[in-house]
Amino acid sequence: MSKGHGRGRACAAALAAAFVLAVPATAVAAPAGGATPAPPAGNVTAAVTAKLLDQAASASDAGLRTARTDDTRVTVTRRDGQTWAFGTAVIVAPHKEGAYPAGWVFVAHRERAGWRVAFDGESGFAGLAQDAPPTVVSPQERDLFTAPRPTYAGGDYRTGMRLPYGVGQSWWFTGGPHGWAGSDSPWSAVDLAGGDQRVLAARGGAAYTMCRGWIRVIHDRGYATDYYHLWNNISVNGAGVGEGAYLGDTGTDVTCGGAASGRHVHFALRQNNAYVPVAGHNLGKWVVMNGGGTYQGYALHGSAQVNVGGSLYNYGSLGLNQGVIDANGGGTVNRRTGPGTGYAIAGSIADGSTVTVSCSANGTTHSGRWGTTSLWNRLTDGTWVTDAYMWTGMAGPINGWC
């Protein structure tokens, strides 16, 4: 992947500000943006509702800033006595083009001053998840919520994800990179349609029903994926799902707001609990690329390019120690007996091939689509290929130094 592409792009701030709200048990949630008064905050639903309204009042999306109490959806899915709770919290968006709901998973703990609520993406979330009893946050979820995680901003674009439909199928690439709400930034989402209409998990993880038509799966490495406009979506509350698990069918559902015409899945990428640019990431062995505006762009599999309106064949997930050969317009790339052009040619490998890297070393310098590098990758058959002609998701070694 990128030896230079995409680095320095600042990740747009998530809608959720990094703070934790404690609502006293005797307080009444104050109206926000003209909202009707919330119920007394002596219960967790009231505390989470008050936090949602506070988030809405400072949202960049003007549609969300008008949210009232009846525009919130708080679902408490697990409790441990009267002191711990877990669930989902959603701000419903207006039913119009370019509007989308905002939603979070939350952990709440009742303390002396009242309920302390943290949404995923806030600094206090991991701490509460770590402290919560296993009846509220399962050990598997705790690992996902608290594990150290790389970031695309640090030059690691590996997702280990497939496209969200069956391997071996081709679906229409109906919308290139765009915001979760359409024109907003970052451009975290793509639209996909066709095939057998069955939307599948791009990678294993813990799945949550945010509202009807909207599933979120939280994966390892800090990633999560959102799937919206689903028909017949599954109902899940942190259930473990494997890669390829059925989530629902493509549809036009806008139960939580927005608009949709024509069956499709609005598929968005998150990392560290905030939407991140999907461009530069690999899905189903395709690298998604931005266009000149929202909903434009293209995808690359090696040198093969598919523009919006074309179809994307799902090759399956790319392993974290794998790469895709990108001959930058050529048909093949030479394999060598060592890390440089001074070593003998040991055959060639076709553009678009998937290879597994055993380790890497520095050698002669070369330039490819993704920049200039002296890095060479040793393949599992013992031959070497320059990293300049391979997309791996990182500018450095993906499986250690030789």
Side-chain angles (χ1 to χ4, degrees), residues 77-127:
T77 55
R78 297 172 225 160
R79 297 193 71 133
D80 188 280
Q82 296 299 311
T83 57
W84 286 95
F86 182 93
T88 57
V90 173
I91 304 171
V92 176
H95 288 277
K96 64 181 183 179
E97 192 74 28
Y100 271 79
W104 299 269
V105 172
F106 73 84
V107 180
H109 181 220
R110 187 172 183 131
E111 300 171 344
R112 183 181 299 274
W115 283 99
R116 184 170 184 254
V117 181
F119 288 167
D120 60 283
E122 297 180 331
S123 59
F125 182 77

Side-chain angles (χ1 to χ4, degrees), residues 42-400:
N43 61 75
V44 69
T45 299
V48 178
T49 299
K51 186 176 179 72
L52 280 173
L53 293 174
D54 191 74
Q55 302 284 61
S58 59
S60 58
D61 185 337
L64 294 179
R65 289 200 298 270
T66 63
R68 301 165 65 89
T69 301
D70 56 5
D71 296 319
T72 62
R73 304 285 186 271
V74 176
T75 305
V76 179
T77 55
R78 297 172 225 160
R79 297 193 71 133
D80 188 280
Q82 296 299 311
T83 57
W84 286 95
F86 182 93
T88 57
V90 173
I91 304 171
V92 176
H95 288 277
K96 64 181 183 179
E97 192 74 28
Y100 271 79
W104 299 269
V105 172
F106 73 84
V107 180
H109 181 220
R110 187 172 183 131
E111 300 171 344
R112 183 181 299 274
W115 283 99
R116 184 170 184 254
V117 181
F119 288 167
D120 60 283
E122 297 180 331
S123 59
F125 182 77
L128 279 184
Q130 181 66 50
D131 294 341
T135 51
V136 172
V137 177
S138 73
Q140 294 79 13
E141 288 174 313
R142 184 177 293 113
D143 289 344
L144 289 174
F145 297 157
T146 63
R149 50 198 64 181
T151 66
Y152 84 95
D156 190 343
Y157 284 69
R158 296 174 297 170
T159 66
M161 296 179 192
R162 61 197 266 179
L163 287 162
Y165 47 87
V167 172
Q169 289 192 28
S170 294
W171 282 31
W172 298 110
F173 185 29
T174 57
H178 55 280
W180 171 244
S183 61
D184 61 319
S185 62
W187 295 353
S188 60
V190 294
D191 291 339
L192 301 159
D196 61 3
Q197 311 287 358
R198 289 170 54 84
V199 178
L200 311 179
R203 186 168 173 82
Y208 302 88
T209 302
M210 305 302 290
C211 64
R212 197 181 79 192
W214 180 9
I215 297 290
R216 174 171 295 166
V217 181
I218 299 178
H219 313 283
D220 57 0
R221 296 173 56 77
Y223 282 111
T225 45
D226 278 6
Y227 311 75
Y228 195 39
H229 303 319
L230 301 180
W231 278 341
N232 306 318
N233 65 270
I234 61 175
S235 179
V236 278
N237 167 29
V241 296
E243 178 185 315
Y246 173 77
L247 303 178
D249 298 324
T250 59
T252 56
D253 193 289
V254 290
T255 303
C256 280
S261 59
R263 294 181 65 172
H264 70 283
V265 59
H266 180 66
F267 175 72
L269 185 68
R270 293 167 61 87
Q271 192 177 37
N272 300 335
N273 305 305
Y275 293 109
V276 295
V278 69
H281 291 87
N282 193 297
L283 303 168
K285 301 183 182 178
W286 292 91
V287 184
V288 179
M289 305 295 287
N290 285 337
T294 55
Y295 297 94
Q296 300 175 21
Y298 57 97
L300 289 169
H301 175 73
S303 296
Q305 177 174 321
V306 171
N307 298 323
V308 169
S311 63
L312 298 178
Y313 179 86
N314 193 354
Y315 293 96
S317 58
L318 185 69
L320 301 180
N321 64 341
Q322 291 185 318
V324 176
I325 297 297
D326 184 345
N328 199 18
T332 62
V333 171
N334 286 333
R335 295 183 290 120
R336 299 274 178 172
T337 58
T341 51
Y343 292 88
I345 294 175
S348 62
I349 190 164
D351 182 82
S353 297
T354 300
V355 295
T356 302
V357 175
S358 60
C359 58
S360 301
N362 285 316
T364 54
T365 299
H366 301 276
S367 296
R369 186 188 311 278
W370 308 104
T372 299
T373 182
S374 62
L375 192 70
W376 284 70
N377 298 315
R378 187 178 187 272
L379 308 185
T380 50
D381 66 0
T383 63
W384 295 77
V385 174
T386 171
D387 196 60
Y389 292 112
M390 186 185 302
W391 191 97
T392 63
M394 288 183 64
I398 59 171
N399 202 20

Side-chain angles (χ1 to χ4, degrees), residues 7-48:
R7 286 189 285 183
R9 245 184 295 175
C11 176
L15 176 59
F19 67 92
V20 176
L21 179 69
V23 179
T26 58
V28 175
T36 55
N43 61 75
V44 69
T45 299
V48 178

